[in-house]
Amino acid sequence: MILRSYQNSILTQIIASNKNDLVQLDTGAGKTPIIAKLAEHYQNAIIVCHRNILIKQASEKLAMCGLNHRIIASSATKRISANNNIAKVGQHFINPRSTIELVSIDTINSQLKSGKLLINESAKIMLVDEAHHLADDNKWASLAEAIGVRCVGFTATPIRGDGFPMVKQYGGFFDRILQADGYENNATERLISEGYLAEYSAYLAKYSGEDHEYVYGKGNLLMSVASTVVNAFQRYAHNKQTICIEPRITNAVDSAEDFKKAGISAEVIHSGLPQYEIERVLQAFESKKIKVLVAVDMINEGFDVPDADVLILSRIVASFGLYRQLCGRVLRPRKGKHALILDLNGQSIAKHGLPSDAVDWTKRQGQVKRKNLTACNECGLFFKATLTACPSCGTGHDIKLRGENTCSTIEKHLLTASMILRERKKIKEAEVRLLRKKETEKEQREMARTYFEYSATFQSGILGRRCKHFYDTLQAYLKKSLSAEDFNLFYKKYNNRMGNVDFYTKAITASFDSNREQQCKKLYEAYQ
């Protein structure tokens, strides 16, 4: 396997170093060939995967490089890997005596707990794929210390969940972040221009039906900010292989059912499924037996899904690293491919920008919202707000007209996560006010034709019993004397005071029992 120039640049830098390097290279740009070449160079090497299920594709890449390797895993994982390698390469290249070892972090931790670490003690280097998981507060914590060799990690996103780089300067494990020479400032954009990653377009997936959600942008321009996954697929995907990302398993199951009801083949994948079921679904998606792969937590990193052309974000992605990992799922190149990223609510792209935006990985990420984007009101395409027209449909966009209060001339809605949340809050408040208004109107109609039942709380003792007597007498009299509306208005206003004797002292005298109706009338008039 011949490395590309940028891959060879990374390989050369690693071999010339003795540091614990963390390599940044975009998803789909080819990290595994570099890992294989390093294993070939050092011979005694340990290659660590994030999950057992990732062993298969790592073994496949080693086989493609003609490298014999030992797999430390279950018999089932070894069998799956061997069969896959034979199908893809012609032979499996799995050798239990090889000094190039392939293992998952879960297997290493299990061996450490049992006190039986079976990996090669003479290893010269440990190569960690998806190394953004190597943090102090999770299962990777004791890995490097336990192995006791130089560690080189590989990831598309060399940051922790809090956005800080995973280097010692910020409390991380690695000495430095390493990139290919010349790719430090605009790696993703350059890889796309060179054809090593796919070109793409990102859309606010606007709903074309009637049952959808709107917000009002500047100048009261009505815009769709939400869509069903099925509608997004039908309008934008054009029946291409699609990955749909959902926040929870229940959401994923519901979405898969919605796809199926619409006649679109779909399956769900999540970490709670057994390995054989995950393999079945992935193979069905790869062979195009299913059109949509609905995922919760399995496609976020590490999986090689070459035929995925469309990504539907049906969840808000708060993490910058996770956002870039997800977008990378559809940026793997193929002749004639143009990938699509569909953000159903716009908040992820509004916060994190486009997946080809330049990133300085030596600094903290995810703190500054990207406000240089706008979404076309006609087709939903995200593009730079400085452009005068949508690059996709040609709809005009004049930034000078920002804030004009006419729908025909207003600048297209500048989309940010905070704006969407703010407008949705306004809509919710308006809905609550409307509901309260309707309830009030309904109550008023009822008050006009029905005498409501009222009751009050009275103190114990003689005074309490006396007040209760006044209260019952007054209510019976007013029901005969007043309309339902006047009766209800009076009691809504004063009922909470009627349990106290002070309420009755304005009119009722000691001779109350001798002239009840007259005194009730006098009491009512005293409060008008």
Side-chain angles (χ1 to χ4, degrees), residues 229 246 249-259 261 268 294:
V229 290
E246 293 284 359
I249 293 175
T250 52
N251 301 114
V253 172
D254 290 343
S255 290
E257 288 301 314
D258 290 340
F259 278 116
K261 289 177 183 177
V268 176
V294 187

Side-chain angles (χ1 to χ4, degrees), residues 23-27 31 130 132 154-158 325 361:
V23 176
Q24 189 282 322
L25 188 60
D26 286 69
T27 299
K31 294 185 287 292
E130 304 300 333
H132 52 277
F154 293 79
T155 179
T157 54
Q325 290 279 349
W361 293 107

Side-chain angles (χ1 to χ4, degrees), residues 432-465:
V432 171
R433 288 195 298 271
L434 180 60
L435 180 62
R436 287 174 178 171
K437 181 181 178 182
K438 289 181 178 179
E439 290 176 346
T440 300
E441 291 174 349
K442 180 181 179 181
E443 183 183 34
Q444 289 174 345
R445 290 193 298 269
E446 289 295 318
M447 286 177 65
R449 59 174 179 259
T450 304
Y451 290 92
F452 292 167
E453 295 297 326
Y454 294 93
S455 61
T457 302
F458 305 94
Q459 65 186 56
S460 58
I462 296 175
L463 282 178
R465 290 193 295 274

Side-chain angles (χ1 to χ4, degrees), residues 85-115:
N85 293 356
I86 292 170
K88 297 290 179 67
V89 184
Q91 63 182 97
H92 57 70
F93 288 95
I94 298 173
N95 183 344
R97 291 181 294 277
S98 174
T99 55
I100 297 175
E101 297 179 333
L102 186 57
V103 63
S104 74
I105 181 58
D106 290 322
T107 298
I108 290 178
N109 277 334
S110 177
Q111 291 181 2
L112 286 173
K113 288 179 180 179
S114 65

